[in-house]
């Protein structure tokens, strides 16, 4: 819930008359983290086998470490690791991850050479808006046209999802957008900001419109941004972790709780059952069976 240990102790005392120290809460959560470790490992396996994954990363307060999130429509895995590079990402995904990665422009994601990539259009659109605020005259034409192309792609997606455009028309429109972007990127750029943006787009040019070919792929990495938000709030309120053991328990607990939330399951009910059960519970016995398409 994003509460500090101190606030939790005050809440338990006021609502339930329970006198619990902050250190007792910390020890209890460490024990719960160990109990949930098998479910966490199952979640990691599911993410590695997921056809589409949305990753993101940010800082974490425990020895300058980084918080990672890897999510899809059914599962979420958090990981607190020393850095923000390929080694840390591949520790969760595996070096040969073969699915689709929908991510921002962070370079380590591009090192997953077996993966198919969709770059986040929201990040590109925000960059275009920033450039338009800082650029005047003829230099503003480039970010304006790029923004129009990307917005047209999103409009096509909306038409497809609404069923107002057929597959053949969608394919022709997608090819036209690719041609427009190719023509725009083949020009000469004298403005430094335009040069940097053009070079970035050229390096990700074949990763812009995958979402128009596959309905199971989002145009942005918003699932990862939504997934990492509760953890960021927790970081602000709790101050992060003081030990590696605490970071590990934090990652396990957040992963399991977030996945339960995705399935609209009662965490209190399941965790109580888990603590009382003499045998370990498998993830498949807890999560609802996937519905056929």
């Amino acid at each position: 819930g994003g509460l500090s240990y101190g606030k939790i102790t005050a809440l338990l005392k006021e609502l339930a008359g329970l006198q619990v120290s902050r250190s007792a809460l910390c020890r209890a959560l460490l024990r719960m983290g160990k109990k949930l470790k098998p479910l966490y490992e199952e979640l990691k396996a599911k993410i590695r086998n997921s056809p589409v994954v949305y990753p993101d990363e940010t800082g974490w307060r425990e020895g300058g470490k980084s918080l990672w999130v890897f999510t899809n429509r059914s599962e979420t895995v958090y990981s607190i690791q020393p850095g923000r590079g390929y080694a840390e990402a591949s520790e969760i995904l595996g070096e040969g991850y073969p699915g689709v990665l929908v991510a921002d422009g962070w370079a380590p994601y591009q090192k997953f050479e077996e993966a198919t990539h969709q770059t986040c259009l929201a990040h590109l659109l925000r960059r275009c808006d920033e450039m338009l605020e800082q650029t005047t005259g003829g230099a503003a034409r480039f970010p304006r046209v790029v923004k129009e192309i990307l917005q047209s792609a999103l409009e096509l997606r909306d038409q497809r999802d609404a069923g107002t455009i057929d597959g053949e028309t969608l394919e022709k429109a997608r090819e036209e957008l690719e041609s427009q972007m190719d023509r725009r990127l083949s020009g000469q750029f004298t403005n430094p900001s335009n040069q940097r943006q053009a070079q970035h787009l050229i390096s990700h040019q074949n990763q812009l419109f995958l979402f128009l070919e596959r309905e199971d792929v989002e145009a942005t990495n918003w699932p990862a941004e939504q997934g990492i938000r509760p953890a960021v709030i927790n970081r602000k309120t709790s101050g992060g972790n003081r030990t590696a053991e605490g970071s590990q328990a934090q990652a396990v607990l957040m992963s399991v709780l977030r996945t339960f939330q995705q399935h609209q399951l009662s965490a209190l009910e399941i965790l109580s059952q888990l603590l009382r059960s003499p045998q370990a519970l498998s993830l498949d016995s807890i999560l609802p069976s996937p519905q056929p398409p």
Side-chain angles (χ1 to χ4, degrees):
L3 298 178
S4 65
Y5 286 132
K7 290 182 179 179
I8 295 172
T9 59
L11 190 64
L12 289 175
K13 182 178 180 180
E14 181 176 348
L15 295 183
L18 295 176
Q19 190 75 32
V20 184
S21 68
R22 287 179 292 180
S23 60
L25 286 173
C26 182
R27 291 193 298 272
L29 289 176
L30 286 174
R31 289 195 298 271
M32 179 63 78
K34 293 178 181 178
K35 188 79 172 180
L36 293 176
K37 188 66 184 302
L39 296 185
Y40 180 73
E41 294 300 324
E42 287 188 57
L43 281 175
K44 287 172 61 175
K46 284 184 175 292
I47 286 293
R48 284 192 174 195
N49 292 311
S50 175
V52 184
V53 171
Y54 303 84
D56 203 0
E57 75 293 323
T58 188
W60 189 255
R61 297 177 185 175
E62 191 266 296
K65 291 188 176 181
S66 299
L67 169 70
W68 292 79
V69 63
F70 303 85
T71 189
N72 56 30
R73 296 177 181 178
S74 302
E75 299 93 23
T76 296
V77 168
Y78 297 96
S79 181
I80 298 173
Q81 300 193 58
R84 298 175 69 175
Y86 171 74
E88 288 76 19
S90 61
E91 196 278 328
I92 299 296
L93 286 175
E95 294 184 359
Y97 176 71
V100 176
L101 284 179
V102 185
D104 55 23
W106 191 237
Y109 298 128
Q110 299 298 314
K111 294 184 179 181
F112 288 93
E113 297 180 352
E114 300 298 321
T116 305
H117 297 267
Q118 166 66 56
T119 195
C120 176
L121 263 60
H123 282 77
L124 296 178
L125 287 169
R126 283 197 291 270
R127 177 56 183 156
C128 287
D129 287 336
E130 293 170 358
M131 293 171 65
L132 288 171
E133 291 177 359
Q134 302 167 3
T135 308
T136 59
R141 176 170 173 75
F142 175 68
R144 185 180 301 114
V145 173
V146 168
K147 180 179 178 180
E148 290 173 355
I149 294 173
L150 298 179
Q151 287 179 329
S152 295
L154 295 176
E155 291 171 2
L156 274 177
R157 175 205 60 189
D158 294 341
Q159 293 175 29
R160 178 200 64 194
D161 294 347
T164 58
I165 187 172
D166 60 68
E168 183 178 354
T169 304
L170 173 65
E171 177 66 15
K172 290 181 179 179
R174 182 185 63 79
E175 292 176 353
E176 175 58 27
L177 289 178
E178 290 177 345
S179 297
Q180 291 178 22
M181 184 66 75
D182 187 59
R183 289 194 296 271
R184 179 50 51 187
L185 295 177
S186 63
Q188 298 294 320
F189 302 94
T190 57
N191 179 276
S193 181
N194 287 347
Q195 288 176 344
R196 288 191 296 271
Q197 180 72 337
Q199 187 57 49
H200 178 80
L201 288 169
I202 290 171
S203 63
H204 294 81
Q205 193 170 355
N206 64 343
Q207 304 173 8
L208 296 177
F209 304 122
L210 177 66
F211 70 96
L212 292 177
E213 301 179 50
R214 292 183 50 168
E215 294 186 33
D216 62 333
V217 174
E218 300 285 350
T220 73
N221 74 331
W222 73 265
E225 293 185 342
Q226 291 293 314
I228 210 168
R229 186 171 298 169
V232 170
I233 294 173
N234 189 287
R235 179 190 64 191
K236 292 179 179 179
T237 57
S238 69
N241 306 106
R242 296 181 180 179
T243 66
E245 184 183 16
S247 291
Q248 175 65 25
Q250 182 85 34
V252 169
L253 288 165
M254 290 193 302
S255 301
V256 173
L257 293 176
R258 179 67 177 179
T259 299
F260 287 171
Q261 185 182 49
Q262 287 176 274
H263 290 273
Q264 299 180 337
L265 297 174
S266 170
L268 287 177
E269 180 180 340
I270 295 173
L271 295 183
S272 297
Q273 178 186 357
L274 180 68
L275 289 173
R276 295 194 304 267
S277 175
Q279 298 179 341
L281 298 178
S282 69
L283 199 61
D284 289 337
S285 69
I286 298 172
L287 301 183
S289 301
Q291 298 297 317

